[in-house]
Amino acid sequence: MSVIKQITVLGATGSIGLNTLNVIARHPDKYAVFALTANSKVDELADLCVAHKPQYAVIGSVNAAQQLKDKLTVLNVDTEVLCGDDGLCHVASHAQVDSVMAAIVGAAGLNPTLAAAKAGKKVLLANKEALVMAGDLFIQAVADSGATLLPIDSEHNAIFQCLPQTTNKSLSENGVEKILLTASGGPFRQFSAEQMRGVSPEQACAHPNWSMGRKISVDSATLMNKGLELIEACWLFDIDESGIDVVVHPQSIIHSMVRYVDGSVIAQMGNPDMRTPIAYGLAWPDRIDAGVEPLDFMQISSLDFEAPDEQRFPCLALARQAWQQGGTASAVLNAANEIAVAAFLNKNIGFTDIAIIIEQVLAKQSTVKATTIEVVQAADAEARLIANEIVAEIH
Ligand code: NAD
Ligand code: MG
């Protein structure tokens, strides 16, 4: 008889959160929802509590928490409401929790994701920004506590699936020569630099293959998503950025590949549906139904590949630069990007200003060793100040 696993879903109202709940709901014999969290969407979170009956719900502010409590009382739902960072860390590290889906977007996810790692949980990592900001501390916390870290980002999940599973050897000892990180190229893959100058947030958020939150959609359009993923892969697989090639593959059928010294290339394929990596993470090392359409090779007319154009998409080179700089540089890159993307979504800057702002912040701010979480948070805060100053100058 299988024991039902208790799952906390951080960022439950988002794209990854809802896909996670979709997979969980298919397997009531295996998974139960322990806690759900959202930043501000009271009604959505209340509806999810009705559907999934969690022990806890966590929301951003005290006011929102009161509204949620009132709503749940009317709906007769017996879920305890907490709020803020303390509430998030509580449900991420609670003794009754088996797995934590880390699906808050951006730096806001760092503390609860780290709390889950420190508490030795099975951490299903979608929140790539947490690893980009504090990779060293995060990987150390996982090692110290004996937590299990499973990548949910489709590319990293693919790479994980293409690597040997039952070994403690390093990648090179396993004969790995290169990681081939695939990228769709985003909605502006064929746009000129001039055309990209005038694009709107709506155009940037209309991704050709994936339906995602607005921030990661803009990241995909600038290719900063691939830059963040490059750094994420360096930490997850203990490899330098020089061991990772980015391959643009517009159909998003191959989700990434690993090339071995004997010439073998192993790829993981599937329809672009995040429920595949989510189901893999939930059930690992087993496999469960994810509700995903089977891949129909007769319907795929072709699989195309091309090199990324780093002139039109400078964010990729900026991410490689930040990784090479080390220390707090990746946290600075991430914070500058978050500010620039928010400013673009608010129509305060143009699309091509995003990379310019990140480059300027990286140039202005000196890098220090990321020894503690406080050091990382201070670098993050300083980068946000500098980035906001540049946004104000442009606006
Ligand atoms: P989203 O915008 O759809 O959802 C974000 C979630 O985080 C929401 O539940 C929101 O309430 C919560 N949140 C936002 N700000 C918060 C704050 N300050 N405090 C607490 N909670 C907050 O985003 P998404 O597309 O689901 O992406 C989530 C994470 O997963 C991101 O890190 C993204 O890079 C990563 N990811 C997403 C996809 C995808 O297909 N959507 C794929 C790979 C990785
Ligand atoms: Mg990805």
Side-chain angles (χ1 to χ4, degrees):
M1 213 185 76
S2 70
V3 180
I4 294 187
K5 302 283 185 212
Q6 297 291 327
I7 318 287
T8 283
V9 183
L10 303 171
T13 51
S15 164
I16 293 289
L18 292 174
N19 274 310
T20 304
L21 292 171
N22 179 294
V23 178
I24 288 176
R26 289 166 193 277
H27 302 280
D29 56 323
K30 292 188 168 68
Y31 309 109
V33 175
F34 180 78
L36 294 173
T37 87
N39 189 29
S40 57
K41 293 183 174 166
V42 173
D43 291 349
E44 280 89 336
L45 188 54
D47 289 344
L48 292 177
C49 289
V50 172
H52 298 280
K53 310 267 182 308
Q55 288 192 38
Y56 289 98
V58 185
I59 196 144
S61 67
V62 178
N63 270 349
Q66 192 53 53
Q67 288 174 31
L68 183 62
K69 271 183 203 166
D70 295 345
K71 262 208 155 51
L72 292 177
T73 307
V74 172
L75 293 165
N76 206 15
V77 176
D78 187 21
T79 294
E80 190 172 330
V81 176
L82 306 175
C83 77
D85 215 37
D86 289 348
L88 292 173
C89 291
H90 182 71
V91 298
S93 59
H94 197 286
Q96 285 176 34
V97 172
D98 297 292
S99 302
V100 176
M101 168 56 78
I104 290 175
V105 60
L110 177 59
N111 283 339
T113 308
L114 199 56
K118 284 183 178 164
K121 302 300 180 195
K122 184 170 164 185
V123 182
L124 311 183
L125 186 77
N127 180 209
K128 65 194 85 182
E129 295 92 343
L131 203 55
V132 168
M133 288 176 74
D136 219 351
L137 297 167
F138 197 87
I139 297 295
Q140 194 56 51
V142 168
D144 290 347
S145 71
T148 304
L149 183 58
L150 293 170
I152 298 303
D153 214 343
S154 59
E155 296 78 2
H156 306 74
N157 192 271
I159 295 160
F160 184 73
Q161 293 195 43
C162 296
L163 290 171
Q165 296 280 305
T166 52
T167 164
N168 288 323
K169 290 184 195 164
S170 69
L171 289 196
S172 63
E173 285 167 343
N174 272 318
V176 172
E177 203 171 55
K178 275 269 175 195
I179 284 178
L180 305 173
L181 187 68
T182 56
S184 70
F188 308 136
R189 183 173 60 89
Q190 292 171 313
F191 279 42
S192 67
E194 185 52 39
Q195 281 174 306
M196 274 193 272
R197 249 188 279 282
V199 298
S200 67
E202 289 67 34
Q203 282 174 290
C205 289
H207 195 278
N209 306 333
W210 298 96
S211 159
M212 309 181 286
R214 282 166 75 77
K215 191 260 178 184
I216 183 177
S217 295
V218 176
D219 287 347
S220 298
T222 60
L223 287 203
M224 181 50 96
N225 184 48
K226 216 45 56 180
L228 298 175
E229 289 184 357
L230 184 101
I231 297 171
E232 183 185 13
C234 290
W235 287 119
L236 283 171
F237 305 115
D238 193 16
I239 188 172
D240 183 64
E241 58 85 18
S242 57
I244 304 173
D245 285 351
V246 174
V247 179
V248 175
H249 163 47
Q251 291 88 0
S252 300
I253 296 294
I254 293 177
H255 300 304
S256 278
M257 303 177 263
V258 176
R259 193 175 82 217
Y260 289 86
V261 283
D262 61 3
S264 298
V265 177
I266 302 187
Q268 187 263 354
M269 293 190 247
N271 282 315
D273 187 324
M274 288 306 293
R275 290 177 299 176
T276 296
I278 289 166
Y280 187 76
L282 280 169
W284 179 85
D286 296 337
R287 301 242 179 202
I288 53 167
D289 172 34
V292 174
E293 282 292 305
L295 186 59
D296 182 351
F297 280 93
M298 302 313 135
Q299 292 290 318
I300 303 169
S301 54
S302 61
L303 297 177
D304 298 314
F305 305 96
E306 61 193 47
D309 181 343
E310 295 199 0
Q311 298 298 317
R312 283 183 303 136
F313 297 101
C315 286
L316 203 49
L318 291 172
R320 286 195 190 271
Q321 178 197 322
W323 172 261
Q324 289 294 358
Q325 255 175 272
T328 50
S330 296
V332 170
L333 173 97
N334 178 67
N337 182 54
E338 286 191 26
I339 294 297
V341 170
F344 168 67
L345 285 171
N346 287 328
K347 302 193 176 173
N348 290 333
I349 61 166
F351 180 76
T352 47
D353 291 328
I354 295 173
I356 294 170
I357 290 170
I358 299 163
E359 186 177 9
Q360 289 185 5
V361 177
L362 274 174
K364 280 190 178 173
Q365 190 171 336
S366 48
T367 299
V368 295
K369 249 182 140 228
T371 44
T372 64
I373 204 70
E374 288 74 24
V375 169
V376 170
Q377 278 162 342
D380 171 277
E382 187 185 345
R384 281 167 200 268
L385 275 179
I386 300 173
N388 272 321
E389 281 169 17
I390 304 171
V391 167
E393 281 166 22
I394 294 174
H395 186 45

